[in-house]
Amino acid sequence: ETGVTQSPTHLIKTRGQQVTLRCSSQSGHNTVSWYQQALGQGPQFIFQYYREEENGRGNFPPRFSGLQFPNYSSELNVNALELDDSALYLCASSLGAGELRYTGELFFGEGSRLTVL
Amino acid sequence: AQTVTQSQPEMSVQEAETVTLSCTYDTSESDYYLFWYKQPPSRQMILVIRQEAYKQQNATENRFSVNFQKAAKSFSLKISDSQLGDAAMYFCAYRSAFNAGGTSYGKLTFGQGTILTVHP
């Protein structure tokens, strides 16, 4: 069983630039969610995708956007980067809530560390 | 909106001893999931234990057990026989068991975390 993988692991951008982070979900999972984790803090929910549709969003501005592909992998895009966007971005996958083996558990990747200068 | 509070920013324990991490939460929902996740310096969140709110029995996983008090909205984690590998940041997290409407469907709400240090 392949776990959740994210790329890149580290990246540095400058203010105003755009970034794309990628995530491959765990085998068999059709739901992907993204979290932002500032240093020393708990992760904050950005949004969730289920079967290629966004079906949940946290308090993040529209410059945070995403995609989910037919193979359930996902991208997080952030436009017009700000210094406060510096954080660890975590991707998590799970089964959908209606799935037979749904347990509510999220399976996380190792994250992408974004630094905005 | 649900909130999760971990009131202990840091805890320490001697190897082989027992430690309890505290977590309280606020919700108006009757059915939900509670989790403890561990995040070592490698960054990956690893599930330690989960509890379904409709189950009265406290969850246990080997050396890890919880004290789930639904009325008090409390969900503490007990680690017995602590090992050096238990050292990490621990997060308590809440997830609705159903679509509560609005746009927050499916999200995990995390506490601020507790850094656990294990002394040899």
Side-chain angles (χ1 to χ4, degrees), chain A residues 103-108, chain B residues 33-40 43-51 59 61-62 64 66 75 77 89-94 108 110:
Chain A
T103 62
E105 179 184 353
L106 298 188
F107 295 79
F108 286 85
Chain B
Y33 299 95
L34 293 167
F35 305 90
W36 279 97
Y37 278 90
K38 166 186 175 181
Q39 188 178 39
R43 311 184 315 199
Q44 186 168 19
M45 287 277 190
I46 301 165
L47 179 69
V48 174
I49 199 164
R50 62 185 286 275
Q51 175 81 42
E61 286 287 341
N62 301 314
F64 300 89
V66 298
F75 183 61
L77 174 70
M89 176 83 98
Y90 285 79
F91 290 99
C92 177
Y94 173 104
L108 270 181
F110 287 86

Coordinates of all heavy atoms in Angstrom, one line a residue, chain A residues 103-108, chain B residues 33-40 43-51 59 61-62 64 66 75 77 89-94 108 110:
Chain A
T103 N -13.3 5.5 8.4 CA -13.1 5.5 9.9 C -12.9 7.0 10.4 O -12.7 7.2 11.5 CB -11.8 4.8 10.2 OG1 -10.7 5.4 9.6 CG2 -11.9 3.3 9.8
G104 N -12.9 7.9 9.4 CA -12.7 9.3 9.8 C -11.2 9.7 9.8 O -10.9 10.9 9.9
E105 N -10.3 8.7 9.8 CA -8.9 9.0 9.9 C -8.4 9.6 8.6 O -8.8 9.3 7.5 CB -8.2 7.6 10.1 CG -6.7 7.8 10.3 CD -6.0 6.4 10.4 OE1 -6.7 5.4 10.5 OE2 -4.7 6.4 10.4
L106 N -7.5 10.5 8.8 CA -6.7 11.1 7.7 C -5.3 10.5 7.7 O -4.7 10.4 8.8 CB -6.6 12.6 7.8 CG -7.9 13.4 7.7 CD1 -7.6 14.9 7.6 CD2 -8.8 13.0 6.6
F107 N -4.8 10.3 6.5 CA -3.4 9.8 6.4 C -2.6 10.9 5.8 O -2.9 11.4 4.7 CB -3.4 8.6 5.5 CG -4.1 7.4 6.1 CD1 -5.5 7.3 6.1 CD2 -3.4 6.4 6.7 CE1 -6.1 6.2 6.6 CE2 -4.0 5.3 7.3 CZ -5.4 5.2 7.2
F108 N -1.5 11.3 6.4 CA -0.8 12.5 6.0 C 0.5 12.2 5.3 O 1.1 11.2 5.6 CB -0.4 13.3 7.3 CG -1.5 14.1 7.9 CD1 -2.4 13.5 8.8 CD2 -1.8 15.4 7.5 CE1 -3.5 14.2 9.3 CE2 -2.8 16.1 8.1 CZ -3.7 15.5 9.0
Chain B
Y33 N -15.6 12.3 15.6 CA -14.4 11.5 15.9 C -13.4 12.4 16.6 O -13.3 13.6 16.4 CB -13.7 11.0 14.6 CG -14.6 10.2 13.7 CD1 -15.3 10.7 12.7 CD2 -14.6 8.8 13.9 CE1 -16.1 9.9 11.9 CE2 -15.4 8.0 13.1 CZ -16.1 8.5 12.1 OH -16.9 7.7 11.3
L34 N -12.6 11.8 17.5 CA -11.5 12.4 18.1 C -10.2 11.6 17.9 O -10.3 10.4 17.8 CB -11.7 12.6 19.6 CG -12.9 13.5 20.1 CD1 -13.2 13.3 21.5 CD2 -12.5 14.9 19.8
F35 N -9.1 12.3 17.7 CA -7.9 11.7 17.4 C -6.7 12.3 18.2 O -6.8 13.5 18.6 CB -7.5 11.9 15.9 CG -8.6 11.5 14.9 CD1 -9.6 12.4 14.5 CD2 -8.6 10.2 14.4 CE1 -10.5 12.0 13.6 CE2 -9.5 9.8 13.5 CZ -10.5 10.7 13.0
W36 N -5.7 11.5 18.4 CA -4.4 12.0 18.8 C -3.5 11.6 17.7 O -3.4 10.4 17.3 CB -4.0 11.3 20.1 CG -4.5 12.0 21.3 CD1 -5.6 11.6 22.0 CD2 -4.1 13.2 21.9 NE1 -5.9 12.4 23.1 CE2 -4.9 13.4 23.0 CE3 -3.0 14.0 21.7 CZ2 -4.8 14.5 23.9 CZ3 -2.8 15.1 22.6 CH2 -3.7 15.3 23.7
Y37 N -2.8 12.6 17.2 CA -1.7 12.5 16.2 C -0.4 12.8 16.8 O -0.3 13.7 17.6 CB -2.0 13.4 14.9 CG -3.0 12.8 13.9 CD1 -4.3 13.1 14.0 CD2 -2.5 12.0 12.9 CE1 -5.2 12.6 13.1 CE2 -3.4 11.5 11.9 CZ -4.8 11.8 12.1 OH -5.7 11.3 11.1
K38 N 0.6 12.2 16.3 CA 2.0 12.4 16.7 C 2.8 13.0 15.5 O 2.6 12.5 14.4 CB 2.6 11.1 17.2 CG 4.1 11.0 17.4 CD 4.5 9.6 17.7 CE 6.0 9.5 17.8 NZ 6.4 8.1 18.1
Q39 N 3.5 14.0 15.8 CA 4.3 14.6 14.7 C 5.8 14.7 15.2 O 6.2 15.6 15.9 CB 3.8 16.0 14.3 CG 4.5 16.5 13.1 CD 4.0 17.9 12.6 OE1 3.6 18.7 13.5 NE2 3.9 18.1 11.3
P40 N 6.6 13.7 14.8 CA 8.0 13.8 15.2 C 8.8 14.9 14.3 O 8.1 15.4 13.4 CB 8.5 12.4 14.8 CG 7.6 11.8 13.8 CD 6.3 12.5 14.1
R43 N 8.3 15.4 10.6 CA 7.2 16.2 10.1 C 5.9 15.4 9.8 O 4.8 16.0 9.8 CB 7.5 17.0 8.9 CG 8.8 17.8 9.0 CD 9.0 18.7 7.8 NE 8.8 18.1 6.5 CZ 9.3 18.6 5.4 NH1 10.1 19.7 5.5 NH2 9.1 18.0 4.3
Q44 N 6.0 14.1 9.5 CA 4.8 13.4 9.1 C 3.9 13.1 10.3 O 4.3 12.6 11.3 CB 5.2 12.1 8.5 CG 4.0 11.3 7.9 CD 4.4 10.2 7.0 OE1 5.5 9.7 7.1 NE2 3.5 9.7 6.1
M45 N 2.6 13.5 10.2 CA 1.6 13.2 11.2 C 1.3 11.7 11.2 O 0.9 11.2 10.1 CB 0.3 14.0 10.9 CG 0.4 15.5 11.1 SD 0.1 15.8 12.8 CE -0.1 17.6 12.7
I46 N 1.4 11.1 12.3 CA 1.1 9.7 12.5 C -0.1 9.5 13.5 O 0.0 10.1 14.6 CB 2.3 9.0 13.0 CG1 3.5 9.2 12.0 CG2 2.0 7.5 13.1 CD1 4.8 8.8 12.5
L47 N -1.1 8.8 13.1 CA -2.2 8.5 14.0 C -1.7 7.7 15.2 O -1.1 6.6 15.0 CB -3.3 7.8 13.3 CG -4.5 7.5 14.1 CD1 -5.3 8.8 14.5 CD2 -5.5 6.6 13.4
V48 N -2.1 8.2 16.4 CA -1.8 7.4 17.6 C -3.0 6.6 18.0 O -2.9 5.4 18.3 CB -1.3 8.3 18.7 CG1 -1.2 7.6 20.0 CG2 -0.1 9.1 18.3
I49 N -4.1 7.3 18.0 CA -5.3 6.6 18.5 C -6.6 7.4 18.1 O -6.5 8.6 17.9 CB -5.3 6.4 20.1 CG1 -6.2 5.4 20.6 CG2 -5.5 7.8 20.7 CD1 -5.9 5.0 22.0
R50 N -7.7 6.7 17.9 CA -8.9 7.4 17.5 C -10.1 6.9 18.4 O -10.0 5.8 18.9 CB -9.3 7.1 16.1 CG -9.5 5.7 15.7 CD -9.7 5.4 14.3 NE -11.0 5.9 13.8 CZ -12.1 5.2 13.9 NH1 -12.1 4.0 14.4 NH2 -13.2 5.6 13.4
Q51 N -11.0 7.8 18.6 CA -12.2 7.5 19.4 C -13.4 8.0 18.7 O -13.5 9.1 18.2 CB -12.1 8.2 20.8 CG -13.3 8.1 21.7 CD -13.3 6.8 22.4 OE1 -12.3 6.4 23.0 NE2 -14.5 6.2 22.6
A59 N -10.8 4.1 23.9 CA -9.9 3.4 23.0 C -8.6 3.1 23.6 O -8.1 3.9 24.4 CB -9.8 4.2 21.7
E61 N -4.6 1.4 22.4 CA -3.7 0.9 21.3 C -2.4 0.6 22.0 O -1.5 1.5 22.1 CB -3.5 1.9 20.2 CG -4.7 2.1 19.3 CD -4.9 0.9 18.3 OE1 -3.9 0.1 18.1 OE2 -6.0 0.7 17.8
N62 N -2.2 -0.6 22.4 CA -0.9 -1.0 23.0 C -0.6 -0.1 24.3 O -1.4 -0.1 25.2 CB 0.2 -0.9 22.0 CG 0.0 -1.9 20.9 OD1 -0.4 -3.0 21.0 ND2 0.2 -1.4 19.6
F64 N -0.9 3.1 24.5 CA -1.6 4.3 24.4 C -3.1 4.1 24.8 O -3.7 3.1 24.2 CB -1.5 4.9 23.0 CG -0.1 5.2 22.6 CD1 0.7 4.3 22.0 CD2 0.5 6.5 22.9 CE1 2.0 4.6 21.6 CE2 1.8 6.8 22.5 CZ 2.5 5.8 21.9
V66 N -6.9 6.3 26.0 CA -7.5 7.6 26.2 C -8.5 7.6 27.3 O -9.0 6.5 27.7 CB -8.2 8.1 24.9 CG1 -7.2 8.3 23.8 CG2 -9.4 7.2 24.5
F75 N -10.7 14.8 26.4 CA -10.1 13.6 25.7 C -8.6 13.6 25.9 O -7.8 14.1 25.2 CB -10.4 13.8 24.2 CG -10.0 12.7 23.3 CD1 -10.5 11.4 23.5 CD2 -9.1 12.9 22.3 CE1 -10.1 10.4 22.6 CE2 -8.7 11.9 21.4 CZ -9.2 10.6 21.6
L77 N -4.9 11.7 26.6 CA -4.1 10.6 26.1 C -3.1 10.2 27.2 O -2.3 11.0 27.7 CB -3.3 11.0 24.9 CG -2.3 10.0 24.4 CD1 -3.0 8.8 23.8 CD2 -1.4 10.7 23.3
M89 N 5.8 16.1 18.9 CA 4.7 17.0 19.2 C 3.4 16.2 19.0 O 3.3 15.4 18.1 CB 4.7 18.1 18.1 CG 3.5 19.1 18.3 SD 3.7 20.3 19.5 CE 4.2 21.7 18.5
Y90 N 2.5 16.3 20.0 CA 1.2 15.5 20.0 C 0.1 16.5 19.8 O 0.0 17.5 20.5 CB 1.0 14.8 21.3 CG 1.9 13.5 21.3 CD1 3.3 13.6 21.7 CD2 1.4 12.3 21.0 CE1 4.1 12.5 21.7 CE2 2.2 11.1 21.1 CZ 3.5 11.3 21.4 OH 4.3 10.1 21.4
F91 N -0.8 16.2 18.8 CA -1.9 17.0 18.5 C -3.2 16.2 18.8 O -3.4 15.1 18.3 CB -1.9 17.4 17.0 CG -0.9 18.4 16.7 CD1 0.3 18.0 16.1 CD2 -1.0 19.8 17.0 CE1 1.3 18.9 15.8 CE2 0.0 20.7 16.6 CZ 1.1 20.3 16.1
C92 N -4.1 16.9 19.4 CA -5.5 16.4 19.6 C -6.3 17.0 18.4 O -6.1 18.2 18.1 CB -6.0 16.9 20.9 SG -7.7 16.4 21.3
A93 N -7.2 16.2 17.9 CA -7.9 16.7 16.7 C -9.4 16.2 16.7 O -9.6 15.1 17.2 CB -7.2 16.3 15.4
Y94 N -10.3 17.0 16.2 CA -11.7 16.7 16.1 C -12.1 16.7 14.7 O -11.7 17.5 13.8 CB -12.4 17.9 16.8 CG -13.9 17.8 16.8 CD1 -14.7 17.4 17.8 CD2 -14.6 18.3 15.6 CE1 -16.1 17.4 17.8 CE2 -16.0 18.2 15.5 CZ -16.7 17.8 16.6 OH -18.1 17.8 16.5
L108 N -10.4 18.4 9.8 CA -9.9 18.2 11.1 C -9.6 19.5 11.8 O -8.9 20.3 11.2 CB -8.6 17.4 11.0 CG -8.6 15.8 11.0 CD1 -7.2 15.3 11.0 CD2 -9.3 15.3 12.2
F110 N -7.5 21.0 14.8 CA -6.4 20.6 15.6 C -6.3 21.5 16.8 O -6.6 22.7 16.8 CB -5.1 20.6 14.9 CG -4.9 19.5 13.9 CD1 -5.4 19.6 12.6 CD2 -4.2 18.4 14.2 CE1 -5.2 18.6 11.7 CE2 -4.0 17.4 13.3 CZ -4.5 17.5 12.0

